[in-house]
Amino acid sequence: GGARLGIPAENEVRLTGLAAGTEYAYRLLFEGAACSPIFRFRTAPDGPQRAVRMIVAGDTEKLNIGLLGAARLAETIKPDLLMIPGDVIRDGDADGYVFDVWRHVLSRCMLFAAPGNHDVENDGAAYLDAFYFPTEPSGSEWYYSLDWGNAHIVCLDVMERSYAVGSTQYNWLRRDLAA
């Protein structure tokens, strides 16, 4: 991560006004000087014109040979999205378990995740510090939904937030799926 290079490792940039289905280029700067190569990413297509290429890789906190191979394979597939359904990090280390392993994929695609038991340790502080997930329309980074081209994706928190009938998360999910 950036901290090893002497630059801040955690940054959040909110981009607005981007056109759907468009490729954009970006470069990281530190104190006005380029500190990365030029990266590219593509915004979500508008509507169902194109299928979505998605990689789903769970338990990234295990950091095993299979996962490392999957990250290398994902580079050749060039996915639109990387989904991690739980156990994203361990002991608060997002760099070692996600950003370092998936760096070539994440430089050009979006990452979305749902929390697992390792992610909610210490009230999930490390998980929420490392990642920025949509808060609309749920009002929570713990559970949310998004549309990406022809896919409607729902991420739930089944570890810490109730999903029992009548709970806040359950009621939100019913409204979201009915929309």
Side-chain angles (χ1 to χ4, degrees):
R4 289 189 289 271
L5 301 174
I7 59 175
E10 294 181 23
N11 298 281
E12 177 181 0
V13 177
R14 184 172 300 272
L15 302 174
T16 60
L18 301 179
T22 303
E23 184 175 86
Y24 290 92
Y26 70 99
R27 170 177 268 170
L28 303 178
L29 303 175
F30 179 65
E31 296 181 352
C35 62
S36 79
I38 295 174
F39 298 112
R40 298 182 184 287
F41 71 95
R42 181 170 294 280
T43 55
D46 186 20
Q49 304 90 310
R50 184 176 68 78
V52 176
R53 289 183 312 255
M54 181 185 321
I55 301 278
V56 179
D59 281 344
T60 56
E61 54 81 28
K62 289 192 169 129
L63 201 62
N64 59 35
I65 297 299
L67 178 67
L68 297 174
R72 286 190 297 275
L73 176 62
E75 291 177 41
T76 65
I77 294 170
K78 298 182 179 169
D80 300 309
L81 300 170
L82 171 61
M83 298 291 303
I84 304 176
D87 288 343
V88 182
I89 61 177
R90 177 176 278 181
D91 301 325
D93 184 6
D95 282 340
Y97 292 99
V98 178
F99 298 120
D100 290 345
V101 174
W102 295 95
R103 70 184 169 279
H104 298 295
V105 175
L106 292 175
S107 67
R108 63 176 169 257
C109 82
M110 301 294 113
L111 164 68
F112 296 101
N117 62 309
H118 292 284
D119 306 314
V120 298
E121 292 171 352
N122 299 315
D123 294 326
Y127 177 80
L128 291 179
D129 285 346
F131 304 104
Y132 299 93
F133 299 121
T135 56
E136 297 295 328
S138 73
S140 171
E141 282 186 277
W142 290 107
Y143 56 94
Y144 55 90
S145 68
L146 61 122
D147 293 316
W148 193 280
N150 60 2
H152 182 70
I153 299 162
V154 176
C155 293
L156 299 175
D157 176 4
V158 298
M159 296 305 305
E160 295 290 312
R161 273 115 211 111
S162 174
Y163 53 94
V165 173
S167 69
T168 302
Q169 184 173 204
Y170 175 88
N171 292 335
W172 166 81
L173 179 61
R174 285 186 54 91
R175 286 189 307 272
D176 181 76
L177 294 178

